[in-house]
Amino acid sequence: MIVVEMAQNSTGIDLERVRESVERSGKSCRVVSGREASYIVASDGTDTSGVSALPGVRKVNAVSCCYPLASRAVRPGSRPVEIAPGVVLGEGDPVVMAGPCAVESRDQLLETALAVRKAGARILRGGAFKPRSHPYAFQGLGSEGIALLKEARKASGLPVITEVMSPEEAEWVAPHVDILQVGARNMQNFSLLKVLGRLDRPVLLKRGMAATVEEWLQAAEYILAGGNDRVILCERGIRSFDQNTRNTLDLGVIPLLKSLTHLPVVADPSHATGRRDLVLPMSLAAIAAGADGLLVEVHCDPGAALCDGPQSLDPEEFSRLMTAAKRIMEAVREEGTPWERMLAR
Amino acid sequence: MIVVEMAQNSTGIDLERVRESVERSGKSCRVVSGREASYIVASDGTDTSGVSALPGVRKVNAVSCCYPLASRAVRPGSRPVEIAPGVVLGEGDPVVMAGPCAVESRDQLLETALAVRKAGARILRGGAFKPRSHPYAFQGLGSEGIALLKEARKASGLPVITEVMSPEEAEWVAPHVDILQVGARNMQNFSLLKVLGRLDRPVLLKRGMAATVEEWLQAAEYILAGGNDRVILCERGIRSFDQNTRNTLDLGVIPLLKSLTHLPVVADPSHATGRRDLVLPMSLAAIAAGADGLLVEVHCDPGAALCDGPQSLDPEEFSRLMTAAKRIMEAVREEGTPWERMLAR
Amino acid sequence: MIVVEMAQNSTGIDLERVRESVERSGKSCRVVSGREASYIVASDGTDTSGVSALPGVRKVNAVSCCYPLASRAVRPGSRPVEIAPGVVLGEGDPVVMAGPCAVESRDQLLETALAVRKAGARILRGGAFKPRSHPYAFQGLGSEGIALLKEARKASGLPVITEVMSPEEAEWVAPHVDILQVGARNMQNFSLLKVLGRLDRPVLLKRGMAATVEEWLQAAEYILAGGNDRVILCERGIRSFDQNTRNTLDLGVIPLLKSLTHLPVVADPSHATGRRDLVLPMSLAAIAAGADGLLVEVHCDPGAALCDGPQSLDPEEFSRLMTAAKRIMEAVREEGTPWERMLAR
Amino acid sequence: MIVVEMAQNSTGIDLERVRESVERSGKSCRVVSGREASYIVASDGTDTSGVSALPGVRKVNAVSCCYPLASRAVRPGSRPVEIAPGVVLGEGDPVVMAGPCAVESRDQLLETALAVRKAGARILRGGAFKPRSHPYAFQGLGSEGIALLKEARKASGLPVITEVMSPEEAEWVAPHVDILQVGARNMQNFSLLKVLGRLDRPVLLKRGMAATVEEWLQAAEYILAGGNDRVILCERGIRSFDQNTRNTLDLGVIPLLKSLTHLPVVADPSHATGRRDLVLPMSLAAIAAGADGLLVEVHCDPGAALCDGPQSLDPEEFSRLMTAAKRIMEAVREEGTPWERMLAR
């Protein structure tokens, strides 16, 4: 594909001129106006001979992948995503997001929120709209859950992340939370991704259960191509033949993604393993592999959880996890992230 | 789960009385009012001691699966789905649906429609809204494609099937076509499934690339639980480690599903293999395995197709497929479907 | 790779001359002396400019795959494998091999052998050496089982197939049976394959549970490269994420293999499904897909079987399967095999 | 299963008496005489009422798994495996095994051996018999390779590990090396495992590409049941749908295995990823997950390697890996291994 990057001080007229020039060569193209930069993306074979010289053009890239805006080829290096003042994914120590699978009640959410903050979590997670395998299972508190998340955000001072499942939900929920989460089952729900591309909210995009790295980055590209450049990738386990764990945490994708994309990558050891006793070791492993963050399920009373109890930590376990995680973070921090050291050869 | 089936002549008052009785035992329940029957679905542990004796109650079932309305346990036997007069899935010979992957133009669609009808197809397929892996690929003609499908239906006399990807699209498209298709990527797009449950249109639900049979049936249950009982399952290949074919057609699920559910099951050998030369043998195999129908990509000029050309048959190849398919249908027809013969022991 | 095929009337001296010529170009090569033809296989980059003109040379092929002797590129068309007079795989109607998973006793084997012959099986299967997942399970009758197989062969007139698991077993068993079977777990047991290449016995090579088509053909190449050109491939199900069936029968490989290799391909619906009720439909599907044969587990009393009882048919069920299978065979026979028709375009 | 553990000071007569008692109840059983303890393993349903009271009996266990000798249920805690004086797997810091994929020459092996020792490796790896996908690839130096490994052991002072592929090879190689390796393709080569059970050498058993944890432990049980209790498990990546990496390193099995078995568990990040740039981060992740060791491919000149060059580190890269690995080891060491901390709740 051909990607024309506009200079930061380029004007709308510059952009229009580039678009016209590209279209004159008989190819359609797409204008992406992001917060930091604007791009024109055109298909291979586009004649761009005159484009570089046009006013406002910073660079013309030809890339072989189908996720140009997500790629390091077009946008080199890491690009941290800021969630709230001082809470940045992809820069400095990994950021831990923690909280219950589902928002169940005011007490449950607030107690858990304060506990995870105390232990060192920087972002509060909690599901209000729950994607459940069958229609008779608890589907979440819905809008009431969103109201409780806002209350918990205020009480704890932690920014919040919650899942949305449809274009309509995304638009409605966006103003109320800090990160919109796309679940594994919706990774290729393109109608949803298109809407998220138009919203001004960071998006955490979970990997589909059987999604290749290319498919995942192309799904992210849907959001980026809409103009929303704050996408966080989340590895949450792939489906394999072995059913001892709920899924198989594929940590190899963390350094692999780092070589392909500038987007931050976090890991969800809770859904990946489905077993409380594996959450701590897999959290440490994810950090050692270079993850920019973790998404951990914590419940003030896991035995009473309405969903995913067996994989939820109680506050004490989470606190133990954070202590161990910090030690690994220190070990990693001393020399830069692992993949950078290796690639540096 | 507990499923209370109401008699056909039961009244709304009967239904209310059952609901109240179930809720008195402290459990929530769900009322499903279908075209042919109504049900109250309640969770395990519900006290149903007095329910059987209530007026209008036909039967009280306790089932262990999470897809009661899709199961043979609650609704024994096969339940054919009628698409148009004389076009019935799940009864008589398998029904072949054929047509282009994407609607590209009036000429392309009409020429293909007439060709597949001539060869023996009973339903016309064609995509107007296309789920594409990356945002820069052809996304379909949209509403213009729907208009062309209506025209092709009129010209060919064939009912039409097309894919929808969001709740909004589903509602808008439903009145214009005969079957709404849910693609593999959206099998667990629960927001979409819920809307489809409220619509009065047959739904063809493709299996997700890494979906187990239980997950697939539970996804179908979302539609059934909304009151829409015309669901057709479509095996289109699962994702495996071998990349010689686009996916791996899992024909074993056809007889397996027949033992679990009353819903018709069809196969899509085009997406499953991704290779033109494998479509014919896999079509024959699907019929021999007991499929109620096929979904086959045919294009009047595969070399010029905007998507999925390599797996599309031209009209002559499709005609050859139909000739061979009819021979296998005859062989199967003579003794009843394979699974019934085997289960009959 | 470079494959030099010698003419049928070429001499040992001709062969030596070719070898020397190839080695002079600085590359090592391998001489394969088969029953029907001899080959010299050399790596890419070998200078073969003078080779075609040497006496006894029939043809010099350059192929891109790593299984030249198994490929249609070097040996076009199908190459039937004769097991016994009139019992040929890869020519005419599919051949059904049937019998118990394990040889358990004289009575069990003889009763089953006579029953499967009566129903139309052409080859008797029975395991004497059993590969079992754990060491405490029944490991087969060993040499006593081989003796019983010989007796059953005499009594029934059916040639026999049995599994071998080590080089030593292969050498010892070869003279006593008609086909040596390599199980899925040993598909890449290269020490075993090398010995089988030196033996004068047909080999049925099952696909490994997670083997790609290339790996499978390369495993077959080990046997062919040893000079044994009678190899039969057997698809027996791959491992997937869905555990409703023991494995996932990948019927798409049947027509796929037909386009790549001249070797016969059979299917084992018993191990693939692990469920008696799925064996019949999957048998029919395999034949419709173009299989050259079936491998079916039949036990005179499945409930008492020492292994794989749940997937074994009783003689009556097997007889029903054969009746249905013959009908599909007829339907397929009328126009040539499916893949040939499709490729004929 | 029933497992009778004999006291350390029990006699052969005691053992015989237990065996007779078990067999009187009509069940067969297996006597396992290990270096440290002896066991009688019998199937479920064995009457053991009188056994506990017999002389020399330490304990009678009933276990539900099919790998009793490998399980923590029968043999609680971790059981370190000593390879050489001071080189112990499963105790203290993880042990790194490093060296070339294949032994290629005296110079190559010695140079690499000295380099990995200098960087901190404790065991030298090197293949003399290579399992290659096709018969025309370099198959290893064979016995010459074993001679070079002995020389390198002497020169470097490092114990050596090498792969064996057949019963015959195993018997021949055992006296010359310190650990016998079973490759992924041979994990269920039961003839090989049985011979390894009779040999007095530690065995490193790699996980098969599509093996479940149960199948892996049952394969280990074949060796343990032969009396050889020094088995090390090695996770080397499973086969998944994503081909960006050679395999998918399944680190979740490390803490999972720790809860099921007393055997040490190591990871092979080289084969798992197939990419040099991913070896370092995956090594760190494996250690953080609680691995007892690593198996890393190092070549003095990766570009010239006869096999697996793209995944081999050069000595400098390996040295960098060891520096980083030690930092993670320290972080892990301070609080006990991760899984123990988690299970301690």
Side-chain angles (χ1 to χ4, degrees), chain D:
Chain D
M1 311 198 89
I2 306 295
V3 182
V4 182
E5 183 179 354
M6 303 301 291
Q8 280 210 290
N9 61 357
S10 65
T11 66
I13 294 174
D14 294 340
L15 200 65
E16 261 320 290
R17 211 178 279 125
V18 173
R19 181 221 285 264
E20 281 165 17
S21 169
V22 165
E23 289 181 346
R24 258 199 307 277
S25 80
K27 299 282 178 174
S28 66
C29 66
R30 183 186 187 109
V31 175
V32 180
S33 297
R35 297 186 318 154
E36 292 178 4
S38 294
Y39 300 88
I40 283 118
V41 183
S43 40
D44 286 331
T46 304
D47 175 13
T48 55
S49 52
V51 170
S52 336
L54 290 178
V57 169
R58 195 170 160 268
K59 206 176 158 195
V60 178
N61 305 274
V63 291
S64 58
C65 66
C66 291
Y67 47 86
L69 302 181
S71 79
R72 289 196 166 218
V74 170
R75 310 175 80 190
S78 290
R79 304 203 159 214
V81 170
E82 185 177 52
I83 305 305
V87 182
V88 183
L89 280 144
E91 193 179 82
D93 277 351
V95 169
V96 179
M97 315 180 224
C101 178
V103 176
E104 297 170 6
S105 71
R106 193 173 176 279
D107 286 356
Q108 172 246 21
L109 185 61
L110 288 182
E111 185 182 337
T112 307
L114 297 176
V116 301
R117 188 191 62 180
K118 192 175 159 207
R122 312 283 304 284
I123 297 174
L124 175 66
R125 64 150 290 156
F129 301 94
K130 299 300 305 169
R132 302 305 296 277
S133 295
H134 69 83
Y136 312 114
F138 172 61
Q139 308 270 318
L141 295 183
S143 57
E144 189 194 332
I146 299 296
L148 292 174
L149 278 170
K150 289 179 76 169
E151 195 180 338
R153 175 164 57 168
K154 204 167 169 192
S156 67
L158 297 177
V160 299
I161 173 172
T162 204
E163 179 165 356
V164 288
M165 298 195 288
S166 69
E168 199 184 19
E169 255 169 46
E171 286 183 332
W172 182 84
V173 172
H176 304 294
V177 301
D178 302 280
I179 309 178
L180 295 166
Q181 176 181 318
V182 178
R185 295 172 183 86
N186 281 317
M187 190 199 85
Q188 291 189 314
N189 179 339
F190 300 124
S191 305
L192 175 58
L193 301 180
K194 284 177 183 173
V195 165
L196 292 169
R198 295 197 306 264
L199 297 174
D200 184 24
R201 269 291 166 281
V203 175
L204 182 139
L205 179 65
K206 287 197 166 185
R207 181 186 188 181
M209 271 190 303
T212 64
V213 164
E214 279 78 20
E215 288 167 338
W216 192 8
L217 288 170
Q218 289 175 33
E221 187 80 8
Y222 265 93
I223 305 172
L224 298 166
N228 184 350
D229 61 0
R230 292 188 291 174
V231 176
I232 301 149
L233 302 171
C234 178
E235 160 64 27
R236 45 77 73 200
I238 55 172
R239 182 152 271 183
S240 88
F241 54 84
D242 200 349
Q243 323 272 304
N244 277 291
T245 48
R246 185 168 171 179
N247 294 286
T248 299
L249 188 62
D250 180 9
L251 289 179
V253 295
I254 295 178
L256 178 63
L257 283 167
K258 289 294 181 185
S259 69
L260 298 172
T261 184
H262 51 83
L263 301 172
V265 188
V266 306
D268 174 350
S270 305
H271 282 87
T273 64
R275 290 173 52 138
R276 184 177 300 130
D277 60 337
L278 303 185
V279 171
L280 185 148
M282 287 302 97
S283 294
L284 305 192
I287 294 169
D292 295 308
L294 298 175
L295 192 60
V296 181
E297 290 193 345
V298 180
H299 193 289
C300 51
D301 181 5
L306 291 183
C307 75
D308 287 350
Q311 72 198 32
S312 295
L313 305 186
D314 66 25
E316 193 199 318
E317 291 164 331
F318 179 65
S319 172
R320 229 178 301 149
L321 181 155
M322 288 302 292
T323 305
K326 280 170 197 160
R327 224 183 283 279
I328 302 290
M329 288 181 199
E330 274 164 37
V332 169
R333 191 195 305 142
E334 297 192 28
E335 307 181 68
T337 59
W339 63 272
E340 271 164 353
R341 253 173 300 152
M342 189 48 103
L343 293 175
R345 81 201 209 82

Side-chain angles (χ1 to χ4, degrees), chain A:
Chain A
M1 312 198 87
I2 306 296
V3 182
V4 182
E5 183 179 352
M6 303 303 292
Q8 280 210 289
N9 60 356
S10 64
T11 66
I13 294 173
D14 294 340
L15 201 65
E16 260 321 289
R17 211 179 278 124
V18 173
R19 182 222 286 262
E20 280 165 19
S21 169
V22 165
E23 290 182 346
R24 261 199 304 279
S25 79
K27 299 281 179 177
S28 66
C29 66
R30 184 188 186 104
V31 175
V32 180
S33 297
R35 300 185 316 154
E36 294 178 4
S38 294
Y39 301 88
I40 283 119
V41 183
S43 40
D44 286 332
T46 304
D47 174 14
T48 56
S49 51
V51 170
S52 335
L54 290 178
V57 169
R58 194 170 162 269
K59 205 176 159 195
V60 179
N61 305 273
V63 291
S64 57
C65 67
C66 291
Y67 46 87
L69 302 181
S71 78
R72 289 197 167 219
V74 171
R75 310 175 81 188
S78 290
R79 304 204 158 213
V81 170
E82 186 178 51
I83 305 304
V87 181
V88 184
L89 281 144
E91 195 179 80
D93 277 351
V95 170
V96 179
M97 313 179 224
C101 178
V103 176
E104 297 169 8
S105 72
R106 193 173 178 280
D107 286 356
Q108 172 246 20
L109 185 62
L110 289 183
E111 185 180 339
T112 307
L114 297 176
V116 301
R117 188 191 62 181
K118 192 177 160 204
R122 311 283 303 284
I123 296 174
L124 175 65
R125 63 152 289 157
F129 301 93
K130 299 301 303 170
R132 302 305 295 278
S133 297
H134 68 84
Y136 312 114
F138 171 61
Q139 308 270 319
L141 295 184
S143 56
E144 189 195 332
I146 299 295
L148 292 174
L149 279 170
K150 289 180 76 170
E151 194 180 340
R153 175 165 58 168
K154 203 168 171 191
S156 68
L158 297 177
V160 299
I161 173 171
T162 203
E163 179 164 357
V164 289
M165 298 195 289
S166 70
E168 198 185 19
E169 255 169 46
E171 286 183 332
W172 182 83
V173 171
H176 303 294
V177 301
D178 302 280
I179 310 178
L180 294 166
Q181 175 180 322
V182 178
R185 295 173 182 87
N186 281 317
M187 190 199 84
Q188 291 189 315
N189 180 339
F190 300 123
S191 305
L192 175 59
L193 301 180
K194 285 176 183 173
V195 166
L196 292 169
R198 295 197 306 263
L199 297 175
D200 183 25
R201 269 291 167 279
V203 175
L204 181 139
L205 180 65
K206 288 197 165 185
R207 180 186 191 182
M209 272 191 303
T212 64
V213 164
E214 279 79 18
E215 288 168 337
W216 192 7
L217 288 170
Q218 289 176 33
E221 187 80 7
Y222 265 92
I223 304 171
L224 298 166
N228 183 350
D229 62 0
R230 292 188 291 173
V231 177
I232 302 149
L233 302 171
C234 178
E235 160 65 26
R236 46 77 73 202
I238 56 173
R239 183 152 270 183
S240 87
F241 55 84
D242 200 348
Q243 322 273 304
N244 276 292
T245 48
R246 186 167 170 180
N247 294 286
T248 299
L249 188 63
D250 180 9
L251 290 179
V253 294
I254 294 177
L256 178 63
L257 283 167
K258 290 293 181 184
S259 69
L260 299 172
T261 184
H262 51 82
L263 301 172
V265 188
V266 306
D268 174 349
S270 304
H271 283 87
T273 63
R275 290 173 52 138
R276 183 177 300 132
D277 61 336
L278 303 184
V279 171
L280 186 147
M282 287 303 96
S283 294
L284 305 191
I287 295 169
D292 294 308
L294 298 176
L295 191 59
V296 181
E297 290 193 345
V298 181
H299 193 288
C300 52
D301 181 4
L306 291 184
C307 74
D308 286 351
Q311 73 198 31
S312 294
L313 306 185
D314 66 25
E316 194 200 317
E317 290 164 333
F318 178 65
S319 172
R320 231 178 296 149
L321 181 155
M322 289 301 293
T323 305
K326 280 170 196 160
R327 225 183 282 278
I328 302 289
M329 289 181 198
E330 276 163 37
V332 169
R333 190 196 305 143
E334 298 192 26
E335 306 182 69
T337 59
W339 63 273
E340 271 163 356
R341 253 171 301 153
M342 189 50 103
L343 293 175
R345 78 198 215 87

